Amino acid sequence: NVNARVACLLAVLAVLGAAARARADGDPAALAAALARHAEADVTALRARTSDVASRCTLGAIYARRNDLPRAALFLTDCEHADLPPAIAAAIGQAARDVKHRLDASQLARLDVVSRPEGLAAEVDALPGETVTTPASVWVAPGPHTVRVTRGAQAWTQHVVAAPHANGVVVIETGLDARPAAPRDQTIDLGDDASGGLGEEHTAPPPDIKHPSLMRDKYRGIPEAAAGDAIDDPLAAPVARPGGHGWQLGLRVGAGMFDDGAASARAGLALGVAGRVRPGDFGFVAWRADWSRRGGAVMSDAAIDVLGASLGAGVTVVDHLAVIGQLRGELRLADARGDRAVHRAGLGVATGLELAVPATPITLGVRFEQGVTALVSGARDRAVLGELGVDLF
């Protein structure tokens, strides 16, 4: 019977299709294969199954491998401590920890989106196509952004400027949780008295009238009603430091001790211009040009003016604290010191720590310079400096 054979074939195909879907939805091996491929087709398939914790965490790990840190952080939320299949648990836990470190070292800022009431759908223009439920935290690039929350056909929008390395809070007041005052029942007795009036007649002085206080509410500890739309909390987003656009330029003034092994250590000064270029989310290229006077007392004949240029790299190890290492070239503006000839060109190394004071352009630093080639015969110069800097751009 042809119809019976067709029906059996369709039933077998339906069973195989259901098994394949079940395997794709929950099979740890299929999730591990998708994580290894991290292809666009895997992203599309996993986005349709984000209600499953294992699928959502796998999607976040894929975004981490694709270097999409904001989406990786969004989908890896709570995945580090989730009960995941052994086939993917180690890889996803490592991805969650790696994303945290990369976010800390990046220029990205965290926005905490809060609405009143809570539980509304929120969208941020930095993550097109992604919807979160308030309260929620998202990571965005520094700069202006628009946050939009919706409930049904109603929508509320607020603009915010994110600063590099900063945590900001966006509070959106919708007014949906405001409750009208409950009505009060009032009764008026219109019963007739014996004289035909509207009640008993009493003769007495008028009741006391309570006059309102002449002192304004704010001086009595009563908050005044806000006028107009809510404004951003000025403490929610710190003032952005220079360098949010990937490069940075600043001035440095240093003071410390100089020593070349051929004379006693002396105090000295240094003036410089320092810059950074950040090609990615981790580390930066650091350069510097400076003048210093070394080799003797600052205003003595033994002092030697030195022009230096340094180039190297740095990394932010904790919030606002960077470690920098550089190669240094020097031009000594002297022919001789005493009876010794000065080597006009020199090479050296430099290393230092720089602390960026939050919400200000001020930088504090400690720098050590060591000559590799001799300043004069048999003596290499070195310096230890404490520095104060101002970042201009």
Side-chain angles (χ1 to χ4, degrees), residues 14-179:
V15 171
L16 292 177
R21 287 192 299 272
R23 184 167 58 253
D25 285 346
D27 183 15
L31 294 176
L35 180 57
R37 290 189 302 265
H38 55 83
E40 191 63 34
D42 298 313
V43 172
T44 302
L46 290 171
R47 287 185 67 91
R49 302 195 300 270
T50 53
S51 58
D52 174 60
V53 175
S55 299
R56 173 176 63 82
C57 294
T58 303
L59 178 60
I62 289 177
Y63 276 127
R65 294 192 177 185
R66 293 162 70 104
N67 206 32
D68 191 341
L69 294 182
R71 284 185 170 84
L74 183 64
F75 288 99
L76 282 173
T77 302
D78 298 328
C79 290
E80 193 173 356
H81 307 291
D83 185 14
L84 300 174
I88 60 174
I92 290 177
Q94 180 60 41
R97 292 187 293 272
D98 181 60
V99 166
K100 289 182 179 178
H101 293 310
R102 292 168 66 188
L103 287 171
D104 290 339
S106 73
Q107 289 282 316
L108 297 177
R110 192 183 77 185
L111 286 182
D112 296 328
V113 182
V114 179
S115 68
R116 295 192 178 97
E118 298 179 351
L120 302 185
E123 299 176 358
V124 183
D125 60 355
L127 293 171
E130 307 296 351
T131 302
V132 297
T133 301
T134 60
S137 297
V138 295
W139 290 83
V140 299
H145 294 284
T146 301
V147 181
R148 183 173 182 265
V149 298
T150 58
R151 180 178 179 180
Q154 295 178 291
W156 297 264
T157 301
Q158 188 162 317
H159 303 282
V160 64
V161 178
H165 304 295
N167 296 337
V169 180
V170 181
V171 180
I172 299 181
E173 300 282 357
T174 65
L176 295 177
D177 55 353
R179 297 181 179 179

